[in-house]
Coordinates of all heavy atoms in Angstrom, one line a residue:
M1 N 4.3 18.5 -31.7 CA 4.5 18.1 -30.3 C 5.9 17.4 -30.2 O 6.5 17.1 -31.2 CB 3.4 17.1 -29.9 CG 3.4 15.8 -30.6 SD 2.2 14.7 -29.9 CE 2.1 13.4 -31.1
F2 N 6.3 17.2 -29.0 CA 7.6 16.6 -28.8 C 7.4 15.2 -28.2 O 6.5 14.9 -27.4 CB 8.4 17.4 -27.8 CG 8.8 18.8 -28.5 CD1 8.0 19.9 -28.2 CD2 9.9 18.9 -29.3 CE1 8.2 21.1 -28.8 CE2 10.2 20.2 -29.8 CZ 9.3 21.3 -29.6
C3 N 8.3 14.3 -28.6 CA 8.3 12.9 -28.1 C 8.6 12.9 -26.6 O 9.5 13.6 -26.1 CB 9.3 12.1 -28.8 SG 9.5 10.4 -28.1
K4 N 7.8 12.2 -25.8 CA 8.0 12.1 -24.4 C 9.3 11.3 -24.0 O 9.8 11.5 -23.0 CB 6.8 11.4 -23.7 CG 5.6 12.3 -23.5 CD 4.5 11.5 -22.9 CE 3.1 12.0 -23.5 NZ 2.1 11.0 -23.2
N5 N 9.6 10.4 -24.9 CA 10.7 9.5 -24.7 C 12.1 10.2 -25.0 O 13.0 10.2 -24.2 CB 10.5 8.2 -25.4 CG 11.5 7.2 -25.0 OD1 11.7 6.9 -23.8 ND2 12.2 6.6 -26.0
C6 N 12.2 10.6 -26.3 CA 13.5 11.2 -26.7 C 13.5 12.7 -26.8 O 14.6 13.3 -26.9 CB 13.9 10.5 -28.0 SG 12.8 10.9 -29.4
G7 N 12.3 13.3 -26.8 CA 12.3 14.8 -26.8 C 12.4 15.4 -28.1 O 12.4 16.7 -28.2
K8 N 12.4 14.7 -29.2 CA 12.5 15.2 -30.6 C 11.1 15.6 -31.1 O 10.1 15.0 -30.7 CB 13.1 14.2 -31.5 CG 14.6 14.1 -31.3 CD 15.3 13.1 -32.3 CE 16.8 13.1 -32.1 NZ 17.4 11.8 -32.5
E9 N 11.1 16.7 -31.9 CA 9.9 17.2 -32.4 C 9.3 16.2 -33.5 O 10.0 15.8 -34.4 CB 10.0 18.5 -33.1 CG 8.7 19.2 -33.3 CD 8.9 20.7 -33.8 OE1 10.0 21.1 -33.9 OE2 7.8 21.3 -34.0
I10 N 8.1 15.8 -33.3 CA 7.4 14.9 -34.2 C 6.0 15.4 -34.6 O 5.5 16.3 -34.0 CB 7.3 13.4 -33.6 CG1 6.7 13.5 -32.2 CG2 8.6 12.7 -33.6 CD1 6.2 12.2 -31.6
D11 N 5.5 14.8 -35.7 CA 4.2 15.2 -36.2 C 3.1 15.0 -35.1 O 3.1 14.0 -34.4 CB 3.8 14.3 -37.4 CG 2.7 14.9 -38.2 OD1 1.5 14.8 -37.8 OD2 3.0 15.4 -39.3
D12 N 2.2 16.0 -35.1 CA 1.1 16.0 -34.1 C 0.2 14.7 -34.2 O -0.4 14.2 -33.2 CB 0.2 17.2 -34.2 CG 0.9 18.4 -33.6 OD1 2.0 18.2 -33.0 OD2 0.4 19.5 -33.7
K13 N 0.1 14.2 -35.4 CA -0.8 13.1 -35.7 C -0.1 11.8 -35.6 O -0.7 10.7 -35.8 CB -1.5 13.3 -37.1 CG -2.6 14.3 -37.1 CD -3.0 14.7 -38.5 CE -3.8 16.0 -38.6 NZ -3.9 16.5 -40.0
A14 N 1.2 11.8 -35.5 CA 2.0 10.6 -35.5 C 1.6 9.7 -34.3 O 1.5 10.2 -33.2 CB 3.4 10.9 -35.5
A15 N 1.3 8.4 -34.6 CA 1.0 7.5 -33.5 C 2.2 7.0 -32.7 O 2.1 6.8 -31.5 CB 0.2 6.3 -34.1
I16 N 3.3 7.0 -33.5 CA 4.6 6.6 -32.8 C 5.7 7.5 -33.2 O 5.6 8.1 -34.3 CB 5.0 5.1 -33.1 CG1 5.1 4.9 -34.7 CG2 4.0 4.1 -32.5 CD1 6.0 3.7 -35.0
C17 N 6.6 7.7 -32.4 CA 7.8 8.6 -32.6 C 8.6 8.0 -33.8 O 9.0 6.8 -33.7 CB 8.6 8.7 -31.4 SG 10.1 9.6 -31.6
L18 N 9.0 8.8 -34.7 CA 9.8 8.3 -35.9 C 11.3 8.0 -35.4 O 12.0 7.3 -36.1 CB 9.8 9.3 -37.0 CG 8.5 9.5 -37.7 CD1 8.5 10.8 -38.6 CD2 8.2 8.3 -38.6
Y19 N 11.6 8.6 -34.3 CA 13.0 8.5 -33.9 C 13.3 7.3 -33.0 O 14.3 6.6 -33.1 CB 13.5 9.8 -33.2 CG 13.4 11.0 -34.2 CD1 12.2 11.8 -34.1 CD2 14.3 11.3 -35.1 CE1 12.1 12.9 -35.0 CE2 14.2 12.3 -36.0 CZ 13.1 13.2 -35.9 OH 13.0 14.2 -36.8
C20 N 12.4 7.1 -32.0 CA 12.6 6.0 -31.1 C 11.5 5.0 -31.1 O 11.7 3.9 -30.5 CB 12.8 6.6 -29.7 SG 11.3 7.4 -29.0
G21 N 10.4 5.2 -31.8 CA 9.4 4.2 -31.9 C 8.4 4.1 -30.8 O 7.6 3.2 -30.7
V22 N 8.5 5.0 -29.8 CA 7.6 5.0 -28.7 C 6.3 5.5 -29.0 O 6.2 6.5 -29.7 CB 8.2 5.7 -27.5 CG1 7.2 6.0 -26.4 CG2 9.4 4.9 -26.9
S23 N 5.2 4.9 -28.6 CA 3.8 5.4 -28.9 C 3.6 6.8 -28.3 O 3.9 7.0 -27.1 CB 2.8 4.4 -28.3 OG 1.5 4.9 -28.5
T24 N 3.0 7.6 -29.1 CA 2.7 9.0 -28.6 C 1.4 9.0 -27.8 O 1.1 10.0 -27.1 CB 2.7 10.0 -29.7 OG1 1.7 9.5 -30.7 CG2 4.0 10.1 -30.4
S25 N 0.5 8.1 -28.1 CA -0.8 8.1 -27.5 C -0.8 7.6 -26.0 O -1.8 7.6 -25.3 CB -1.8 7.2 -28.3 OG -1.3 5.9 -28.3
E26 N 0.4 7.2 -25.6 CA 0.6 6.7 -24.2 C 0.3 7.8 -23.3 O 1.2 8.7 -23.0 CB 2.0 6.1 -24.1 CG 2.1 5.0 -23.0 CD 3.5 4.5 -22.8 OE1 4.3 4.7 -23.7 OE2 3.7 3.9 -21.8
S27 N -0.8 7.9 -22.7 CA -1.1 8.9 -21.7 C -0.8 8.5 -20.3 O -0.4 7.4 -20.0 CB -2.6 9.3 -21.9 OG -3.4 8.2 -21.5
E28 N -1.0 9.5 -19.4 CA -0.7 9.3 -18.0 C -1.7 8.4 -17.3 O -1.4 7.7 -16.4 CB -0.6 10.6 -17.2 CG 0.5 11.5 -17.8 CD 1.9 11.0 -17.7 OE1 2.2 10.5 -16.6 OE2 2.6 11.0 -18.7
K29 N -3.0 8.4 -17.8 CA -4.1 7.7 -17.1 C -3.9 6.2 -17.0 O -4.0 5.7 -15.9 CB -5.4 8.1 -17.7 CG -6.2 9.1 -16.8 CD -7.6 9.1 -17.2 CE -8.5 9.9 -16.2 NZ -9.9 10.0 -16.6
P30 N -3.6 5.5 -18.1 CA -3.5 4.1 -18.0 C -2.4 3.6 -17.1 O -2.5 2.6 -16.4 CB -3.2 3.6 -19.4 CG -3.7 4.7 -20.3 CD -3.5 6.0 -19.5
R31 N -1.4 4.4 -17.0 CA -0.2 4.1 -16.1 C -0.7 4.2 -14.7 O -0.3 3.3 -13.9 CB 0.9 5.2 -16.3 CG 1.9 4.7 -17.4 CD 3.1 5.6 -17.4 NE 3.8 5.5 -18.6 CZ 4.8 6.3 -19.0 NH1 5.1 7.3 -18.2 NH2 5.4 6.2 -20.1
Q32 N -1.5 5.2 -14.4 CA -1.9 5.3 -13.0 C -2.9 4.1 -12.6 O -2.8 3.7 -11.4 CB -2.7 6.6 -12.8 CG -2.6 7.2 -11.4 CD -3.1 8.6 -11.2 OE1 -3.7 9.1 -12.2 NE2 -3.1 9.1 -10.1
Q33 N -3.7 3.7 -13.6 CA -4.5 2.6 -13.3 C -3.7 1.3 -13.1 O -4.2 0.4 -12.3 CB -5.5 2.4 -14.4 CG -6.7 3.4 -14.4 CD -7.6 3.3 -15.5 OE1 -7.2 2.7 -16.6 NE2 -8.8 3.9 -15.4
E34 N -2.6 1.2 -13.7 CA -1.8 0.0 -13.6 C -1.0 0.0 -12.3 O -0.5 -1.0 -11.9 CB -0.8 -0.1 -14.8 CG -1.4 -0.7 -16.0 CD -0.5 -0.7 -17.2 OE1 0.7 -0.9 -17.0 OE2 -1.0 -0.4 -18.3
A35 N -0.8 1.2 -11.7 CA -0.1 1.3 -10.5 C -0.7 0.5 -9.4 O -1.9 0.4 -9.3 CB 0.0 2.8 -10.0
T36 N 0.2 -0.1 -8.6 CA -0.3 -1.0 -7.5 C -0.5 -0.2 -6.3 O 0.2 0.8 -6.1 CB 0.7 -2.1 -7.2 OG1 2.0 -1.6 -7.3 CG2 0.5 -3.3 -8.2
N37 N -1.4 -0.6 -5.5 CA -1.7 0.1 -4.2 C -0.6 -0.4 -3.2 O -0.9 -1.3 -2.4 CB -3.1 -0.3 -3.8 CG -3.6 0.6 -2.6 OD1 -2.8 1.3 -2.0 ND2 -4.9 0.6 -2.4
A38 N 0.5 0.3 -3.3 CA 1.7 -0.1 -2.5 C 1.4 -0.1 -1.0 O 1.8 -1.0 -0.3 CB 2.9 0.8 -2.8
L39 N 0.7 0.9 -0.6 CA 0.4 1.0 0.9 C -0.4 -0.2 1.4 O -0.2 -0.6 2.5 CB -0.4 2.3 1.1 CG 0.4 3.5 1.5 CD1 -0.4 4.8 1.4 CD2 1.1 3.4 2.8
A40 N -1.3 -0.7 0.6 CA -2.1 -1.9 1.0 C -1.2 -3.1 1.1 O -1.4 -3.8 2.1 CB -3.2 -2.2 -0.1
I41 N -0.3 -3.2 0.2 CA 0.7 -4.4 0.3 C 1.6 -4.2 1.5 O 1.8 -5.2 2.3 CB 1.5 -4.5 -1.0 CG1 0.5 -4.8 -2.2 CG2 2.5 -5.6 -0.9 CD1 1.1 -4.4 -3.6
V42 N 2.1 -3.0 1.6 CA 3.1 -2.7 2.8 C 2.3 -2.9 4.1 O 2.8 -3.6 5.0 CB 3.6 -1.3 2.7 CG1 4.3 -0.9 3.9 CG2 4.6 -1.2 1.5
G43 N 1.1 -2.4 4.2 CA 0.3 -2.6 5.4 C 0.0 -4.0 5.7 O 0.1 -4.4 6.9
F44 N -0.3 -4.8 4.6 CA -0.6 -6.2 4.8 C 0.7 -6.9 5.4 O 0.6 -7.7 6.3 CB -1.0 -6.8 3.5 CG -1.3 -8.3 3.6 CD1 -2.5 -8.7 4.2 CD2 -0.4 -9.2 3.1 CE1 -2.8 -10.1 4.3 CE2 -0.7 -10.6 3.1 CZ -1.9 -11.0 3.7
I45 N 1.8 -6.7 4.8 CA 3.1 -7.3 5.3 C 3.4 -6.9 6.7 O 3.7 -7.7 7.6 CB 4.2 -7.0 4.3 CG1 3.9 -7.7 2.9 CG2 5.6 -7.5 4.8 CD1 4.8 -7.1 1.8
L46 N 3.3 -5.5 6.9 CA 3.7 -5.0 8.2 C 2.8 -5.5 9.3 O 3.2 -5.6 10.5 CB 3.6 -3.5 8.2 CG 4.9 -2.7 7.7 CD1 4.6 -1.2 7.6 CD2 6.0 -3.0 8.6
S47 N 1.5 -5.8 9.0 CA 0.5 -6.3 10.0 C 1.0 -7.5 10.7 O 0.6 -7.8 11.8 CB -0.8 -6.5 9.4 OG -0.8 -7.5 8.4
F48 N 1.9 -8.3 10.0 CA 2.4 -9.5 10.6 C 3.6 -9.2 11.6 O 3.8 -10.0 12.5 CB 2.9 -10.5 9.6 CG 1.8 -11.1 8.7 CD1 1.5 -10.6 7.5 CD2 1.1 -12.2 9.2 CE1 0.6 -11.2 6.7 CE2 0.1 -12.7 8.5 CZ -0.2 -12.2 7.2
F49 N 4.2 -8.1 11.4 CA 5.4 -7.8 12.2 C 5.2 -6.6 13.2 O 5.5 -6.8 14.3 CB 6.6 -7.5 11.3 CG 6.9 -8.6 10.3 CD1 6.5 -8.5 9.0 CD2 7.5 -9.8 10.7 CE1 6.7 -9.5 8.1 CE2 7.7 -10.8 9.8 CZ 7.3 -10.7 8.5
I50 N 4.7 -5.5 12.6 CA 4.5 -4.3 13.5 C 3.0 -4.0 13.3 O 2.7 -3.3 12.3 CB 5.4 -3.2 13.0 CG1 6.9 -3.6 12.9 CG2 5.3 -2.0 14.1 CD1 7.7 -2.8 11.9
A51 N 2.2 -4.5 14.2 CA 0.8 -4.4 14.1 C 0.3 -2.9 13.9 O -0.5 -2.7 13.0 CB 0.1 -5.0 15.3
I52 N 0.8 -2.0 14.7 CA 0.3 -0.6 14.6 C 0.7 0.0 13.3 O -0.2 0.7 12.6 CB 0.9 0.2 15.8 CG1 0.4 -0.3 17.1 CG2 0.6 1.7 15.6 CD1 1.1 0.2 18.4
A53 N 1.9 -0.2 12.8 CA 2.3 0.4 11.5 C 1.5 -0.3 10.4 O 1.1 0.4 9.4 CB 3.8 0.1 11.3
G54 N 1.3 -1.6 10.5 CA 0.5 -2.3 9.6 C -1.0 -1.8 9.5 O -1.5 -1.7 8.4
L55 N -1.5 -1.5 10.7 CA -2.9 -1.0 10.8 C -3.0 0.4 10.1 O -3.9 0.6 9.3 CB -3.3 -0.9 12.2 CG -4.7 -0.6 12.5 CD1 -5.7 -1.7 12.1 CD2 -5.0 -0.2 13.9
V56 N -2.0 1.2 10.4 CA -2.1 2.6 9.8 C -1.9 2.5 8.3 O -2.7 3.1 7.6 CB -0.9 3.5 10.4 CG1 -0.8 4.8 9.7 CG2 -1.2 3.7 11.9
C57 N -1.0 1.8 7.8 CA -0.7 1.6 6.4 C -2.0 1.0 5.7 O -2.4 1.4 4.6 CB 0.5 0.8 6.1 SG 2.0 1.7 6.4
S58 N -2.5 0.0 6.3 CA -3.7 -0.7 5.7 C -4.9 0.2 5.6 O -5.6 0.2 4.6 CB -4.0 -1.9 6.6 OG -3.0 -2.9 6.5
I59 N -5.1 1.0 6.7 CA -6.3 2.0 6.7 C -6.1 3.0 5.5 O -7.0 3.3 4.8 CB -6.4 2.7 8.0 CG1 -7.0 1.7 9.1 CG2 -7.4 3.9 7.9 CD1 -6.9 2.2 10.5
I60 N -4.9 3.5 5.4 CA -4.6 4.5 4.3 C -4.8 3.8 3.0 O -5.4 4.3 2.1 CB -3.2 5.1 4.5 CG1 -3.1 5.9 5.8 CG2 -2.9 6.1 3.3 CD1 -1.7 6.3 6.2
G61 N -4.2 2.6 2.9 CA -4.3 1.8 1.6 C -5.7 1.5 1.3 O -6.1 1.6 0.1
Y62 N -6.6 1.2 2.3 CA -8.0 0.9 2.1 C -8.7 2.2 1.6 O -9.5 2.1 0.6 CB -8.6 0.4 3.4 CG -10.0 0.0 3.2 CD1 -10.3 -1.3 2.7 CD2 -11.1 0.8 3.7 CE1 -11.6 -1.7 2.6 CE2 -12.4 0.3 3.5 CZ -12.6 -0.9 3.0 OH -13.9 -1.3 2.9
K63 N -8.4 3.3 2.2 CA -9.1 4.6 1.8 C -8.7 5.0 0.4 O -9.4 5.7 -0.3 CB -8.7 5.7 2.8 CG -9.6 5.6 4.1 CD -9.2 6.7 5.0 CE -10.1 6.6 6.3 NZ -9.7 7.7 7.3
R64 N -7.4 4.7 0.0 CA -6.9 5.1 -1.3 C -7.2 4.1 -2.4 O -6.9 4.4 -3.5 CB -5.4 5.4 -1.2 CG -5.1 6.7 -0.4 CD -3.7 7.0 -0.4 NE -3.2 7.3 -1.7 CZ -1.9 7.7 -2.0 NH1 -1.1 7.7 -1.0 NH2 -1.5 8.0 -3.2
A65 N -7.8 3.0 -2.0 CA -8.0 1.9 -3.0 C -8.8 2.4 -4.2 O -8.5 2.0 -5.4 CB -8.8 0.7 -2.3
P66 N -9.8 3.3 -4.1 CA -10.6 3.7 -5.3 C -9.7 4.5 -6.3 O -10.0 4.4 -7.5 CB -11.6 4.7 -4.7 CG -11.8 4.2 -3.3 CD -10.5 3.7 -2.9
E67 N -8.6 5.1 -5.8 CA -7.7 5.8 -6.7 C -6.9 4.8 -7.6 O -6.5 5.2 -8.7 CB -6.6 6.5 -5.9 CG -7.2 7.8 -5.2 CD -6.1 8.4 -4.3 OE1 -4.9 8.4 -4.7 OE2 -6.5 8.9 -3.2
F68 N -6.8 3.6 -7.2 CA -6.2 2.5 -7.9 C -7.2 1.6 -8.6 O -6.9 0.4 -8.9 CB -5.2 1.7 -7.1 CG -4.1 2.6 -6.4 CD1 -4.3 3.1 -5.2 CD2 -3.0 2.9 -7.1 CE1 -3.4 3.9 -4.6 CE2 -2.0 3.7 -6.5 CZ -2.2 4.2 -5.3
G69 N -8.4 2.1 -8.8 CA -9.4 1.2 -9.4 C -9.9 0.1 -8.5 O -10.2 -1.0 -9.0
G70 N -9.8 0.3 -7.2 CA -10.2 -0.7 -6.2 C -9.2 -1.7 -5.9 O -9.4 -2.6 -5.1
K71 N -8.0 -1.5 -6.5 CA -6.9 -2.5 -6.3 C -6.4 -2.4 -4.8 O -6.3 -1.3 -4.3 CB -5.7 -2.2 -7.2 CG -5.7 -3.0 -8.5 CD -4.5 -2.7 -9.3 CE -4.6 -3.4 -10.7 NZ -3.4 -3.0 -11.5
G72 N -6.2 -3.6 -4.3 CA -5.6 -3.7 -2.9 C -6.6 -3.5 -1.8 O -6.2 -3.4 -0.7
K73 N -7.9 -3.3 -2.2 CA -8.9 -3.1 -1.2 C -9.0 -4.3 -0.2 O -9.1 -4.2 1.0 CB -10.2 -2.8 -1.8 CG -11.2 -2.1 -0.9 CD -12.4 -1.6 -1.7 CE -13.4 -0.9 -0.8 NZ -14.6 -0.4 -1.5
G74 N -9.1 -5.5 -0.8 CA -9.2 -6.7 -0.1 C -7.9 -7.0 0.8 O -8.0 -7.4 2.0
L75 N -6.8 -6.7 0.2 CA -5.5 -6.8 0.9 C -5.4 -5.9 2.1 O -5.0 -6.3 3.1 CB -4.4 -6.6 -0.1 CG -3.0 -7.2 0.2 CD1 -3.1 -8.7 0.2 CD2 -2.0 -6.7 -0.8
A76 N -5.8 -4.6 1.8 CA -5.8 -3.6 2.9 C -6.8 -4.0 4.0 O -6.4 -3.9 5.2 CB -6.2 -2.3 2.4
L77 N -7.9 -4.6 3.7 CA -8.9 -5.0 4.7 C -8.3 -6.2 5.5 O -8.5 -6.2 6.7 CB -10.2 -5.4 4.0 CG -11.4 -5.5 4.9 CD1 -11.9 -4.2 5.4 CD2 -12.6 -6.2 4.1
A78 N -7.7 -7.1 4.8 CA -7.0 -8.2 5.5 C -5.9 -7.7 6.4 O -5.8 -8.2 7.5 CB -6.4 -9.2 4.4
G79 N -5.2 -6.7 6.0 CA -4.1 -6.1 6.8 C -4.7 -5.5 8.1 O -4.1 -5.6 9.1
I80 N -5.9 -4.8 7.9 CA -6.5 -4.2 9.1 C -7.0 -5.3 10.1 O -6.7 -5.1 11.3 CB -7.8 -3.3 8.6 CG1 -7.3 -2.1 7.8 CG2 -8.6 -2.9 9.8 CD1 -8.4 -1.4 7.0
I81 N -7.6 -6.3 9.6 CA -8.1 -7.4 10.4 C -6.9 -8.1 11.1 O -6.9 -8.3 12.4 CB -8.9 -8.4 9.6 CG1 -10.2 -7.7 9.1 CG2 -9.3 -9.6 10.5 CD1 -10.9 -8.5 8.0
I82 N -5.8 -8.4 10.4 CA -4.7 -9.1 10.9 C -4.0 -8.3 12.0 O -3.7 -8.8 13.1 CB -3.7 -9.6 9.8 CG1 -4.3 -10.7 8.9 CG2 -2.4 -10.1 10.4 CD1 -3.6 -10.8 7.6
S83 N -3.8 -7.0 11.7 CA -3.1 -6.2 12.7 C -4.0 -5.9 13.9 O -3.5 -5.9 15.0 CB -2.7 -4.8 12.0 OG -3.7 -4.2 11.4
A84 N -5.3 -5.9 13.7 CA -6.2 -5.7 14.8 C -6.2 -6.9 15.7 O -6.1 -6.8 17.0 CB -7.6 -5.4 14.3
I85 N -6.2 -8.1 15.1 CA -6.1 -9.4 15.9 C -4.8 -9.5 16.6 O -4.8 -9.8 17.8 CB -6.3 -10.6 14.9 CG1 -7.8 -10.6 14.5 CG2 -6.0 -11.9 15.7 CD1 -8.0 -11.6 13.3
S86 N -3.7 -9.2 15.9 CA -2.4 -9.3 16.6 C -2.2 -8.3 17.7 O -1.6 -8.6 18.7 CB -1.2 -9.2 15.6 OG -1.1 -7.9 15.1
M87 N -2.8 -7.1 17.5 CA -2.8 -6.1 18.6 C -3.6 -6.6 19.8 O -3.2 -6.4 21.0 CB -3.4 -4.8 18.1 CG -2.3 -3.9 17.5 SD -3.0 -2.5 16.6 CE -3.3 -1.4 18.0
A88 N -4.8 -7.2 19.5 CA -5.6 -7.8 20.6 C -4.9 -8.9 21.4 O -4.9 -8.9 22.6 CB -6.9 -8.3 20.0
I89 N -4.1 -9.7 20.6 CA -3.4 -10.8 21.2 C -2.3 -10.2 22.1 O -2.1 -10.7 23.2 CB -2.8 -11.8 20.2 CG1 -4.0 -12.6 19.5 CG2 -1.8 -12.8 20.7 CD1 -3.6 -13.3 18.2
T90 N -1.6 -9.2 21.5 CA -0.5 -8.6 22.3 C -1.0 -8.0 23.6 O -0.4 -8.1 24.6 CB 0.2 -7.5 21.4 OG1 0.6 -8.1 20.2 CG2 1.4 -6.9 22.1
L91 N -2.2 -7.3 23.5 CA -2.8 -6.7 24.6 C -3.2 -7.8 25.7 O -3.0 -7.6 26.9 CB -4.0 -6.0 24.2 CG -4.4 -4.8 25.0 CD1 -3.5 -3.6 24.9 CD2 -5.8 -4.3 24.7
L92 N -3.7 -8.9 25.2 CA -4.0 -10.0 26.1 C -2.8 -10.5 26.8 O -2.9 -10.8 28.0 CB -4.7 -11.1 25.2 CG -5.6 -12.1 26.0 CD1 -6.9 -11.4 26.4 CD2 -5.9 -13.3 25.1
Y93 N -1.7 -10.7 26.1 CA -0.5 -11.1 26.7 C 0.0 -10.2 27.8 O 0.4 -10.7 28.8 CB 0.6 -11.2 25.6 CG 0.7 -12.6 24.9 CD1 0.6 -12.7 23.5 CD2 0.9 -13.8 25.7 CE1 0.7 -13.9 22.9 CE2 1.0 -15.0 25.0 CZ 0.9 -15.1 23.7 OH 1.0 -16.3 23.0
I94 N -0.1 -8.9 27.5 CA 0.3 -7.9 28.5 C -0.5 -8.0 29.8 O 0.0 -8.0 30.9 CB 0.3 -6.5 27.9 CG1 1.4 -6.3 26.8 CG2 0.5 -5.4 28.9 CD1 1.2 -5.1 25.9
V95 N -1.9 -8.2 29.6 CA -2.8 -8.3 30.7 C -2.5 -9.5 31.5 O -2.4 -9.5 32.7 CB -4.2 -8.3 30.2 CG1 -5.2 -8.7 31.3 CG2 -4.6 -6.9 29.6
I96 N -2.3 -10.7 30.8 CA -1.9 -11.9 31.5 C -0.6 -11.8 32.3 O -0.5 -12.2 33.4 CB -1.9 -13.1 30.5 CG1 -3.3 -13.4 29.9 CG2 -1.3 -14.4 31.1 CD1 -3.3 -14.3 28.7
L97 N 0.3 -11.2 31.6 CA 1.7 -11.0 32.2 C 1.5 -10.1 33.5 O 2.2 -10.4 34.5 CB 2.6 -10.3 31.2 CG 4.1 -10.6 31.4 CD1 4.4 -12.0 31.0 CD2 4.9 -9.6 30.5
L98 N 0.7 -9.0 33.4 CA 0.6 -8.1 34.5 C -0.1 -8.9 35.7 O 0.2 -8.7 36.8 CB -0.2 -6.9 34.1 CG 0.5 -5.8 33.3 CD1 -0.4 -4.8 32.8 CD2 1.6 -5.2 34.1
V99 N -1.1 -9.7 35.3 CA -1.9 -10.4 36.3 C -0.9 -11.4 37.0 O -0.9 -11.5 38.3 CB -3.1 -11.1 35.7 CG1 -3.7 -12.1 36.7 CG2 -4.1 -10.1 35.2
M100 N -0.1 -12.1 36.2 CA 0.8 -13.1 36.7 C 1.9 -12.4 37.6 O 2.2 -12.9 38.7 CB 1.5 -13.8 35.6 CG 0.7 -15.0 35.0 SD 1.4 -15.6 33.5 CE 2.8 -16.5 34.1
M101 N 2.3 -11.3 37.2 CA 3.3 -10.5 37.9 C 2.7 -10.0 39.2 O 3.3 -10.1 40.3 CB 3.8 -9.3 37.1 CG 5.0 -9.7 36.2 SD 5.4 -8.3 35.1 CE 6.1 -7.1 36.3
G102 N 1.5 -9.6 39.1 CA 0.8 -9.1 40.3 C 0.6 -10.2 41.3 O 0.8 -10.0 42.6
S103 N 0.2 -11.4 40.9 CA 0.0 -12.5 41.8 C 1.3 -13.0 42.4 O 1.3 -13.4 43.5 CB -0.8 -13.6 41.1 OG -0.1 -14.1 40.0
A104 N 2.3 -12.9 41.6 CA 3.7 -13.4 42.0 C 4.2 -12.4 43.1 O 4.7 -12.9 44.1 CB 4.7 -13.4 40.9
I105 N 4.0 -11.2 42.9 CA 4.4 -10.2 43.9 C 3.6 -10.3 45.2 O 4.2 -10.4 46.3 CB 4.3 -8.7 43.3 CG1 5.4 -8.5 42.3 CG2 4.5 -7.7 44.4 CD1 5.1 -7.3 41.3
S106 N 2.3 -10.5 45.1 CA 1.4 -10.6 46.2 C 1.7 -11.9 47.0 O 1.6 -11.9 48.3 CB 0.0 -10.5 45.9 OG -0.4 -11.6 45.0
S107 N 2.1 -13.0 46.3 CA 2.4 -14.2 47.0 C 3.7 -14.1 47.8 O 3.9 -14.7 48.8 CB 2.5 -15.4 46.0 OG 3.6 -15.2 45.1
V108 N 4.7 -13.3 47.3 CA 5.9 -13.1 48.0 C 5.7 -12.2 49.2 O 6.2 -12.5 50.3 CB 7.0 -12.5 47.0 CG1 8.2 -12.0 47.7 CG2 7.3 -13.5 45.9
V109 N 4.9 -11.2 49.0 CA 4.7 -10.2 50.1 C 3.6 -10.9 51.0 O 3.8 -11.2 52.1 CB 4.2 -8.9 49.6 CG1 3.8 -8.0 50.8 CG2 5.2 -8.2 48.7
Ligands
ZN1 ZN1 11.0 9.5 -29.5

């Protein structure tokens, strides 16, 4: 087989590469498990600033959490809740603003 790090041919049974010392048993799987659920983190952060974007990212992050061994599930859930609350508050503000504008216009007319 060939070393993943330096590309030189090494013994099939060798635990480490004789040329660069990198472990040959290093498979792709543990790396994927170590990967962070970036979408959950991004969604959580975005939920404070752009509620809709945060909500979308959080939902995707939540759905993809099992791929990361459940990582970021809580964070994604928090992102969903925060963005939902901030969206509700924004909606409330719009409604209040419209009502105030409506009453202001009607008082003038
Ligand atoms: Zn090597």
Side-chain angles (χ1 to χ4, degrees):
M1 67 172 168
F2 296 94
C3 172
K4 279 179 219 161
N5 189 51
C6 63
K8 282 180 180 156
E9 195 172 0
I10 48 167
D11 195 288
D12 283 354
K13 286 166 194 167
I16 56 157
C17 172
L18 290 167
Y19 302 96
C20 65
V22 165
S23 173
T24 55
S25 59
E26 207 182 342
S27 61
E28 300 295 313
K29 255 195 170 181
R31 269 190 199 170
Q32 208 172 2
Q33 280 176 343
E34 275 175 41
T36 43
N37 193 344
L39 268 168
I41 297 161
V42 170
F44 180 73
I45 295 162
L46 275 175
S47 66
F48 289 100
F49 306 102
I50 312 153
I52 294 166
L55 187 69
V56 171
C57 285
S58 292
I59 289 167
I60 298 164
Y62 186 77
K63 281 183 177 175
R64 288 184 65 179
E67 289 176 35
F68 300 92
K71 266 186 188 175
K73 201 172 182 179
L75 203 65
L77 197 68
I80 292 166
I81 294 162
I82 291 161
S83 51
I85 290 166
S86 74
M87 272 169 80
I89 291 166
T90 307
L91 207 72
L92 201 72
Y93 270 122
I94 292 165
V95 170
I96 290 166
L97 207 72
L98 284 172
V99 169
M100 278 169 72
M101 274 170 73
S103 63
I105 291 162
S106 63
S107 67
V108 169
V109 174

